[in-house]
Amino acid sequence: MRLAVLACLLAMGALFGSAPVASAGTRVVVKTRTYDITGTTGLALMGAMDRKGPKHGFMTHAIAQTGYTVDWDLDAGQDNGVCRLRSANGTLNLFYTFPRVASTTPPALQKRWARFFAGVRAHEETHGRLAREMMRATERSITGLSIADDRSCYKTRREAQRRIHATYAAYEAKQIAFDASEHRDGGHVEHLVTALVRP
């Protein structure tokens, strides 16, 4: 059996709707999806997740997944040749995908599943926390930005985009490092799976 993974995806894209939540000057939209699995043993549940979980790469499936898209609305204007960023409104669209047991399971397996799922949720919510931190760091990096001799505001907008992308890159590195730690041999994910499959 392949060891399924927990995953995080970053994308720049269109907005999708759900309940907005205020977060340090940015808007956070959270949506949770589930997919059903069945089985009466931990091994059977793992097999179902391996078959039905969200796509991770070309051939594999993840246990669960965190994805997000980001959109910034930047308003800049100039006065006497000095361009200032007047406002920066960011939207983080954060979505989680989790497995849901849709069959009757023995009481002992229910307990193991509850512990397993709590660990999976904590992992994905850490990805979400890092994404929220990224938005706050981005906002700090561009707030108050102004550039002299920029009547068209081209240089100011370009610098704002540079800072936004630099912050994204820094936090994407944090997301990757977190996954590497969690998925290492003998790491947290391996312990979660082993505890579910072999009581």
Side-chain angles (χ1 to χ4, degrees), residues 5-27:
V5 296
L6 306 175
C8 177
L9 299 173
L10 165 66
M12 305 295 290
L15 302 180
F16 62 89
S18 190
V21 180
S23 175
T26 62
R27 195 169 76 108

Side-chain angles (χ1 to χ4, degrees), residues 103-183:
S103 59
T104 302
T105 55
L109 180 57
Q110 289 176 19
K111 290 179 181 178
R112 296 203 313 275
W113 174 259
R115 288 192 297 269
F116 172 83
F117 187 77
V120 168
R121 180 176 288 278
H123 175 98
E124 299 304 333
E125 287 179 349
T126 298
H127 281 305
R129 176 179 57 77
L130 287 170
R132 292 169 189 263
E133 288 176 7
M134 178 187 72
M135 294 297 286
R136 291 191 290 270
T138 302
E139 185 180 20
R140 288 193 301 271
S141 77
I142 59 179
T143 297
L145 174 62
S146 67
I147 295 180
D149 192 24
D150 186 21
R151 293 187 180 276
S152 67
C153 286
Y154 172 77
K155 290 185 283 187
T156 303
R157 291 181 182 277
R158 185 175 62 184
E159 175 60 16
Q161 289 295 333
R162 187 196 68 77
R163 294 183 185 188
I164 289 170
H165 287 292
T167 306
Y168 290 171
Y171 274 86
E172 184 63 8
K174 291 184 180 186
Q175 298 277 16
I176 291 169
F178 170 65
D179 265 341
S181 174
E182 291 275 284
H183 287 282

